[in-house]
Structures are given as structure tokens and as C-alpha cells.
Amino acid sequence: MQISAKHALKLAIGAAALVGAAQANAFTAFQTSGPQSDELIIKGRVAYQYDWNQGGANHDDHDDAASRTAIKYTHHFNEDFAVLGTTEWGYNPFFRHGSDTRRNKLDYYKRLQFAGVSYKGIGTLTYGKQASVYSMVTDATDQYWVFGAAANGKNTQKHLVGADRPDDSLKYQNTFGDVTVGLMFGGNDHDDESKGLTRRHFDQAAVNWQIAPDVTIGTAYNHAAMKHEGGKDFDVEQYVVGATWTPGNWTLGVLAGQYHNQLDDATSTRGYETFTQYAFKDLVSFGDVSLYGGLNRLEDRNGPARTSSYIVGTALKTHKGFGSKDNFIVALEHVFNDNKNTDGRDLDAEGTNLDQTSLLVRYNY
């Protein structure tokens, strides 16, 4: 893997942009104390990514890697009752792919925007565009810094079917001892990329059970009733089970799912994901170094087609010198692709199945 002078310059520019962003401090913009109190928090990230063989094709590129800023407000009426609201926006700080790149306009989009109420012992109820309760379970293996999350059911029209950050959704979540329960419902919705598809409604449920201090198991279900303009109505159904185990410096996660009528996919698919990581917490004085890897495999239950990859990576996460949290992250990940088409042939012959490598530099504020 060789880096040309042009590519090295791109890497240097991206790194410089992150160093400049690091001068800004995340902060609690406003906070009062007492039984009745207010809190306003601003947080986010700036992230840069360079890709070799981007998307499995013979093409290198660099770009933003999900930079974002969030504003969170909470008002406590007393120790038990509070109202809350969050807005979070993604943006491209490198001014690429904006609406008018000649004038360097910022490309931005809404990730989250919701409000709700919380009462101790009763739970939290929120409405808007928000993380799904389905994610409570898929987070077991969605722990890679760059790749992953390709076989958990959240990867296709995720906002529309409700699997990830759906709009116009009502969400309830509460913890009862060692068990966390989430319920979610969403009404009619569509988006500009739906191509004649409309979501009539979706309903969702998830449960996580912490059976030991370092072991959690969970299951989730999502159902979306879809309307197709000029075609038949149909239902999307997604089932997942997952587990995590964190003994000592190890982190292990497994997930299996079954999906019906996923948009842009086969009629019936099955997915598997794994994540295994070991953190060397004393290897360097200013952070943790980790080695990790795993499998993402989504296969057609009625044929030989599959999307399959093996991921390996290493990351440095700092915890000293840049603030009290894990501010800087540098990760290098490599993907061995093992995809097959509907005829069962390796896609290498089609030039879309090359192994990929990505370098991520991220600053959390």
C-alpha cells in the first residue's frame, strides 16, 4: 500500500483541520443547581477519513467521517421529574459534496431532533427524530470505528423503516432492575430517496437484560408497513438477538438477525455480526491501544448471494492531555471482502470486491 505525494498532502490537510478544531472546547453552556435546575450541553465530533479502495472499488478518496454537533437541554422540576430536548446536526467540515462546492457551502443534515419528559421509576417518553430502541441490541456489534453494521438490519432505508433514527417517532424507555425495555411507534413518513415508497407506520420493541456485571443479552423486533406507489403494499420485518461480554480488557459482541422484505435487498435475508477487542490500557501513558476484528455477513436465504466481510483494526484512544474524556481517536481498519452475486460468483471479476483500508482521525468535543 503506497501513498503518493498528493495523497500525503490530503492526509496532512485533514489532520491539520482536526488539530484546529481541537482548540474549541466542548462545555456545559449553562447549569444551575438545586432540586429545580437547568442544564445546557454542547458536544460533538470532527472526523476525517482516508480510504484506499473505497467501497471495494479501485478508487482512493478522503472525506468527512460523520462529524456532528449536538445541543442538549434538560430542565429538572425536582429530583424525579424533568423535561428534555436534543438537536443534533451532521456536517462536512471539509466542504466536500455541498450544494455548491464552487462557493464552499457547508453540507449539513439533521441527525436527531426530539423532546420529551422523564420521571424517575416511570421512564422516559420522547417524540421526534431519534435513535431507535432497535439500536439497544445492535450496539452489541456496532463498535467498529469505521466499518461494520452491514448485517444488523439498519443499513437499508433505515430512517424510513424505523430501524435507525426514524422521523416522527414516539419512544418509551425504562429500566427495571437489570432489565431495560424500549417501545417505539412511528406514523406516516416518506423521504426524497424513497422512490415512491411511503411508510404507513412502524412499531418496534427491544429488551436488554444484564444477567451479570459484564454480560448483557438482548432481543429486538421492528415492523414497518410500507406503501408502494403503483405497486402492492408490503411489510418489512426485522428480528435480532445480541449479546456482549466484557471480561477485563476484552470486549466481545455477537449478533444474529433475520429480515423480511428489506428494501433494496433480497426478500428474505439472514445476518451475522461479531466484534472482538483487546485493549492494552498501559501500553502508552496517554491512552489505550486496542486490537479488534470480526465478521459482518448478510446472506440471501433463498440463493447464494451474500455481502460478507472480515474486519481487522487497531486504534489509539487518548485519555490524557486533551481533556477529561476520550478526545482523540486514530484508527486503521482493513476489510477482506468475500461478497457473492446472485449466481454465486465472486465479485472480484466485476471489480467491486477489492479489499479496503481506511484511516480515521477523530476529535470528540
Side-chain angles (χ1 to χ4, degrees), residues 49-50 61 87 103 117 129 175 236 271 275 350:
Q49 184 174 317
Y50 192 92
D61 203 358
T87 183
R103 298 182 181 179
V117 296
K129 181 177 179 62
T175 299
V236 175
F275 178 80
E350 302 173 15

Side-chain angles (χ1 to χ4, degrees), residues 20-336:
Q23 305 306 313
N25 292 321
F27 62 98
T28 300
F30 180 77
Q31 187 176 45
T32 60
S33 59
Q36 186 171 126
S37 61
D38 296 273
E39 183 179 62
L40 181 66
I41 296 176
I42 300 174
K43 61 184 296 185
R45 70 176 66 159
V46 180
Y48 171 85
Q49 184 174 317
Y50 192 92
D51 303 302
W52 292 268
N53 292 339
Q54 186 184 56
N58 186 18
H59 170 69
D60 301 344
D61 203 358
H62 71 106
D63 208 343
D64 168 61
S67 299
R68 65 192 64 166
T69 294
I71 301 174
K72 301 182 178 183
Y73 171 73
T74 305
H75 173 75
H76 295 271
F77 291 97
N78 51 50
E79 293 182 354
D80 296 329
F81 181 48
V83 294
L84 55 97
T86 293
T87 183
E88 181 176 279
W89 292 78
Y91 62 95
N92 189 329
F94 306 102
F95 294 94
R96 305 196 72 204
H97 315 301
S99 57
D100 189 346
T101 55
R102 293 172 301 174
R103 298 182 181 179
N104 290 329
K105 286 190 175 179
L106 185 69
D107 182 22
Y108 62 92
Y109 57 96
K110 180 173 67 177
R111 286 178 49 85
L112 301 169
Q113 191 159 281
F114 62 89
V117 296
S118 178
Y119 201 95
K120 185 177 180 180
I122 296 179
T124 301
L125 184 68
T126 50
Y127 179 82
K129 181 177 179 62
Q130 54 194 320
S132 65
V133 298
Y134 189 85
S135 299
M136 290 167 46
V137 178
T138 59
D139 284 349
T141 51
D142 188 8
Q143 300 189 56
Y144 299 92
W145 293 111
V146 180
F147 299 105
N152 61 16
K154 294 170 59 175
N155 215 30
T156 305
Q157 291 282 2
K158 51 191 178 182
H159 309 310
L160 197 59
V161 303
D164 188 29
R165 301 197 309 272
D167 291 284
D168 300 321
S169 60
L170 184 66
K171 172 181 173 180
Y172 169 77
Q173 195 166 337
N174 198 13
T175 299
F176 305 91
D178 297 327
V179 178
T180 300
V181 176
L183 301 171
M184 206 166 190
F185 175 82
N188 183 270
D189 191 25
H190 70 280
D191 59 40
D192 294 336
E193 300 178 359
S194 59
K195 300 178 182 179
L197 289 171
T198 301
R199 182 185 80 204
R200 292 184 289 138
H201 64 83
F202 81 89
D203 44 87
Q204 192 176 115
V207 178
N208 270 338
W209 179 24
Q210 188 174 352
I211 61 176
D214 57 358
V215 179
T216 301
I217 60 174
T219 184
Y221 168 77
N222 181 58
H223 165 261
M226 308 299 295
K227 182 177 179 61
H228 187 272
E229 185 177 346
K232 293 183 178 180
D233 295 352
F234 63 97
D235 292 335
V236 175
E237 289 188 297
Q238 301 167 297
Y239 310 81
V240 290
V241 293
T244 57
W245 182 31
T246 56
N249 292 357
W250 288 94
T251 300
L252 300 101
V254 294
L255 180 121
Q258 188 164 297
Y259 321 112
H260 301 287
N261 290 332
Q262 276 200 166
L263 309 183
D264 301 329
D265 286 322
T267 302
S268 182
T269 56
R270 182 179 289 123
Y272 307 96
E273 294 185 357
T274 66
F275 178 80
T276 301
Q277 174 181 271
Y278 185 84
F280 300 88
K281 296 185 178 181
D282 299 321
L283 192 61
V284 294
S285 62
F286 54 86
D288 297 341
V289 176
S290 60
L291 297 175
Y292 54 90
L295 162 73
N296 270 216
R297 183 184 178 101
L298 182 68
E299 57 187 34
D300 185 354
R301 297 184 65 201
N302 301 313
R306 72 180 185 224
T307 300
S308 180
S309 61
Y310 306 91
I311 307 168
V312 294
T314 182
L316 167 67
K317 185 167 60 174
T318 69
H319 57 64
K320 290 183 179 180
F322 303 102
S324 60
K325 295 184 179 180
D326 300 320
N327 291 95
F328 269 108
I329 297 161
V330 180
L332 184 67
E333 290 186 11
H334 184 79
V335 170
F336 300 93

